[in-house]
Amino acid sequence: QKEVEQNSGPLSVPEGAIASLNCTYSDRVSQSFFWYRQYSGKSPELIMSIYSNGDKEDGRFTAQLNKASQYVSLLIRDSQPSDSATYLCAVPGGFKTIFGAGTRLFVKA
Amino acid sequence: DTAVSQTPKYLVTQMGNDKSIKCEQNLGHDTMYWYKQDSKKFLKIMFSYNNKELIINETVPNRFSPKSPDKAHLNLHINSLELGDSAVYFCASSQAMYEQYFGPGTRLTVT
């Protein structure tokens, strides 16, 4: 049974700080990894995808992948109150994507 | 233009009734999904269709019957609704196993 593990939080950071969200996965052959953001009462939206080891940056977001350790993380720099949401790690495989339980992030103004 | 749309947005019904949720995507994707998100916010896949063919049926009770008339549409019919079916149901689409795009969700409440 493939698993994706996330700390459910809540993770609370002050405005302007770096928020660090972590995810581990069990399937060693996984090749692609996604981070989704879900605001309360809304649907998940894709914010980052990463396919190879190392870092991928997009604006204030950086995804980090370490396939040897089966670990993927999301860093949010200069966190804003509008970043307060649940962040879901997702690992697809064979037309079935396994989502983590999500980490709730609160950014305090 | 809405990429993935679902109707209805809210559904309130009594136990034992039958209801349907419709989903349409205009992204040209070949794969569509139904997910259930319960009160604990855990997002769990129910069904996956690729080119109108059922690929994944994730041990969902057979009261749930998906139908894909074409690649752009995936509907979900639920028979004999139970209290435990109350949840938010999301439709999503993707091109193969790449990133998924979600519909706005249907909040189902069974009383």
Side-chain angles (χ1 to χ4, degrees), chain A residues 36 38 43 94-97, chain B residues 37 48 58 90 97 99-100 103:
Chain A
Y36 290 82
Q38 186 175 22
S43 56
F95 297 107
K96 177 179 173 179
T97 294
Chain B
Q37 190 169 48
S48 169
E58 197 63 8
F90 287 105
M97 291 181 288
E99 53 268 22
Q100 295 181 24

Side-chain angles (χ1 to χ4, degrees), chain A residues 1-54:
Chain A
Q1 178 77 359
K2 299 175 185 177
E3 292 184 351
V4 176
E5 302 275 348
Q6 292 182 256
N7 186 332
S8 63
L11 173 65
S12 184
V13 300
E15 184 175 359
I18 296 175
S20 178
L21 306 163
N22 304 315
C23 172
T24 58
Y25 58 94
S26 63
D27 188 356
R28 286 192 168 274
V29 302
S30 295
Q31 296 296 313
S32 52
F33 306 86
F34 303 114
W35 283 99
Y36 290 82
R37 177 177 62 200
Q38 186 175 22
Y39 291 114
S40 181
K42 301 294 185 182
S43 56
E45 58 176 326
L46 180 77
I47 53 172
M48 287 288 284
S49 58
I50 186 165
Y51 301 95
S52 54
N53 275 332

Side-chain angles (χ1 to χ4, degrees), chain A residues 71-90:
Chain A
Y71 175 88
V72 57
S73 65
L74 179 70
L75 301 179
I76 307 174
R77 290 183 300 282
D78 188 24
S79 295
Q80 301 296 309
S82 59
D83 294 326
S84 298
T86 297
Y87 290 81
L88 303 167
C89 174

Side-chain angles (χ1 to χ4, degrees), chain B residues 8-59:
Chain B
K9 191 165 184 180
Y10 299 97
L11 199 46
V12 181
T13 189
Q14 292 184 325
M15 285 174 54
N17 285 348
D18 303 339
K19 291 293 178 186
S20 292
I21 308 171
K22 295 182 184 295
C23 177
E24 177 180 0
Q25 55 98 1
N26 63 8
L27 298 167
H29 290 163
D30 59 7
T31 306
M32 296 185 73
Y33 312 82
W34 279 113
Y35 287 91
K36 180 180 181 181
Q37 190 169 48
D38 58 26
S39 57
K40 294 184 180 177
K41 307 301 182 187
F42 189 68
L43 193 64
K44 185 172 181 184
I45 188 157
M46 300 173 68
F47 302 103
S48 169
Y49 270 74
N50 178 253
N51 287 316
K52 303 192 302 175
E53 301 261 340
L54 178 65
I55 303 295
I56 299 287
N57 180 343
E58 197 63 8
T59 60

Side-chain angles (χ1 to χ4, degrees), chain B residues 19-21 34 46-47 64-66 74-78 89:
Chain B
K19 291 293 178 186
S20 292
I21 308 171
W34 279 113
M46 300 173 68
F47 302 103
F64 291 78
S65 50
L74 180 62
N75 304 322
L76 183 66
H77 187 75
I78 315 170
Y89 292 84

